[in-house]
Amino acid sequence: MQIGFKLFAEAHTPQEMVRQAVRAEEAGFDFVEISDHYHPWLESHGHSGFAWSILAAIAMRTERIGLATGVTCPTIRYHPAIIAQAAATTALLSDGRFTLGVGSGEQLSEHVTGHPWPVVGVRHAMLREALEIIRLLWSGGYRTYRGTHLSISDARVFDLPETLPDIVVAAGGPKAARIAGELGDGLFATEPRTDLIDAYTAAGGTGSRWAEVPLAYAGTVDAALESAHRLFRFGPTGWKIQAELPNVRNFEAATAFVRREDMADAFGAGPDVETHVATVKGFADAGYDRLALISAGPDVEEFFTFYEKELAGRLHDLPGR
């Protein structure tokens, strides 16, 4: 079991993301994972820095903590040849501390290149081809690949680490979980769903199981839920909405009727350590062993202090730690 910290790049500047990663290392977290989007989910978020530049800066400012994308879409906004190069370089800069998290993406960030947004079956087919291309380029030498959707021609990644990064594949349903089992080194999820793990293992998956755990620390439950609503009210819309809406204005409209109380169904909220432990334990009990804690409270520094003084010790008792 490893406990990580989610770098929510939509709500903070790139400089603050680097500071938080350094602070997470000081606080004892095992890894940080960063969202990789072109747009924020909501207009009020106000940020969405380039994840790969931020990761490079973090690699230079830290010594121990693991780094990961959570997650990158290597099919439309990025070509998989570029991600193969970017991930290899990040692994070198971090001395082998990098994990490549990938997924089939959301229209919100992928439409910006003008490419039509494919139906989900095509997106999954594209993700399969992208993973094959990345693996091929990581095998060294000049490579050519002709797929139905994606191709490379006489391409080579010159700077490869001795130990290649693991690739963990995000899944919102069993079909994507099977891709993770067949072509990935791990599974990435945002809910404590055992059906995703079942599909992953049935497809041959034996690697790590990553998940984001929604927590909101504050002095009162009301303050925690208010902050969670402000930052993460897009979450209750679900992946079918999140993958399909094309722009920030759509998300503002789609979340207009999400209430503060609705956030209580997903978030461990408030000052009580037992509440937070129970939320994290739900993911551990479901079988996930790489847990990235989301800080949706109003003060991230207060969350780091809470983690150091109260939460970290309790999480060490979880199965597999």
Side-chain angles (χ1 to χ4, degrees), residues 2-299:
Q2 292 186 13
I3 304 297
F5 180 76
K6 171 70 175 185
L7 296 171
F8 187 53
E10 292 84 344
H12 303 281
T13 66
Q15 299 95 317
E16 174 62 11
M17 290 291 85
V18 177
R19 189 200 72 81
Q20 287 184 18
V22 172
R23 184 70 179 89
E25 183 172 70
E26 294 171 351
F29 282 98
D30 296 308
F31 66 92
V32 292
E33 56 104 342
I34 187 168
S35 48
D36 183 4
H37 296 148
Y38 195 88
H39 289 147
W41 297 99
L42 302 169
E43 196 75 38
S44 56
H45 284 156
H47 301 282
S48 195
F50 187 55
W52 295 93
S53 296
I54 297 170
L55 285 167
I58 293 171
M60 296 294 96
R61 292 281 306 277
T62 57
E63 297 178 357
R64 171 194 57 80
I65 199 164
L67 315 177
T69 48
V71 294
T72 288
C73 177
T75 60
I76 298 176
R77 176 168 48 108
Y78 301 123
H79 190 280
I82 302 304
I83 295 304
Q85 182 188 37
T89 298
T90 305
L92 288 167
L93 291 173
S94 62
D95 294 322
R97 292 181 281 139
F98 178 66
T99 299
L100 176 61
V102 299
S104 57
E106 302 92 18
Q107 185 171 190
L108 175 67
S109 288
E110 302 309 313
H111 81 273
V112 298
T113 62
H115 190 287
W117 185 237
V119 298
V120 64
V122 173
R123 298 201 300 268
H124 285 165
M126 293 175 73
L127 181 59
R128 284 182 176 275
E129 291 186 5
L131 292 171
E132 291 174 355
I133 287 172
I134 292 169
R135 299 282 194 198
L136 184 62
L137 288 170
W138 284 357
S139 67
Y142 290 94
R143 299 293 179 174
T144 295
Y145 176 102
R146 295 284 182 263
T148 302
H149 307 283
L150 298 166
S151 299
I152 55 173
S153 179
D154 206 24
R156 177 182 174 185
V157 176
F158 274 79
D159 291 293
L160 290 171
E162 290 186 10
T163 302
L164 295 169
D166 281 348
I167 301 176
V168 297
V169 180
K175 291 182 180 179
R178 287 194 288 272
I179 296 174
E182 293 169 13
L183 298 175
D185 300 305
L187 173 71
F188 190 105
T190 58
E191 301 172 271
R193 290 173 52 180
T194 57
D195 65 316
L196 299 180
I197 292 179
D198 291 342
Y200 170 67
T201 56
T206 60
S208 54
R209 301 156 182 180
W210 297 58
E212 295 181 347
V213 183
L215 303 178
Y217 176 79
T220 66
V221 172
D222 283 346
L225 291 177
E226 179 66 31
S227 182
H229 179 265
R230 176 175 59 85
L231 292 172
F232 284 91
R233 65 182 181 272
F234 62 90
T237 62
W239 279 114
K240 289 185 178 180
I241 297 295
Q242 292 172 28
E244 300 297 339
L245 293 184
N247 60 55
V248 174
R249 292 187 298 275
N250 294 137
F251 277 95
E252 291 288 355
T255 61
F257 299 102
V258 176
R259 305 168 302 168
R260 185 184 66 178
E261 305 90 85
D262 296 328
M263 309 307 294
D265 293 336
F267 279 81
D272 181 18
V273 67
E274 299 299 335
T275 299
H276 294 268
V277 170
T279 303
V280 178
K281 187 174 184 297
F283 284 81
D285 289 346
Y288 294 90
D289 56 16
R290 300 290 187 274
L291 304 181
L293 308 187
I294 292 171
S295 174
D299 189 324

